[in-house]
Amino acid sequence: GGLKWSYQASGDTGTSPAVSNGTVYMTSSFGEILGLDTVTGSLKWRATFGKQSTTESSSASSPAVFNGRIYFNGLRSGDFQSLVFCYGP
């Protein structure tokens, strides 16, 4: 089969995505974690964790999903302290 969909994120998304329960989770160097619909590729969910600047990078690891929560490490905006983040119910 051919390409089903693509998504243009802000910043670099060079890490591997995680997939769980119909959602593709990915981080970007723009300080975002995104949740995309696995069927349509449309944005379902977005949160910010880092410096939102096109000139400063907020690096992040590939996300991992466990029990409905998304885990990854990255740099906190402001002081650029390296932290582990957890999003979800």
Side-chain angles (χ1 to χ4, degrees), residues 21-63:
N21 294 327
T23 304
V24 177
Y25 296 100
M26 63 187 214
T27 58
S28 83
S29 63
F30 193 62
E32 297 176 316
I33 180 145
L34 308 169
L36 308 176
D37 185 276
T38 56
V39 175
T40 66
S42 62
L43 182 66
K44 293 171 66 172
W45 181 82
R46 176 190 338 217
T48 58
F49 66 87
K51 183 78 171 167
Q52 289 200 313
S53 166
T54 57
T55 59
E56 295 184 50
S57 176
S58 294
S59 63
S61 67
S62 296

Side-chain angles (χ1 to χ4, degrees), residues 14 31 46 49 64 77 79 83 87-89:
R46 176 190 338 217
F49 66 87
S77 63
D79 62 6
L83 299 172
Y87 286 91

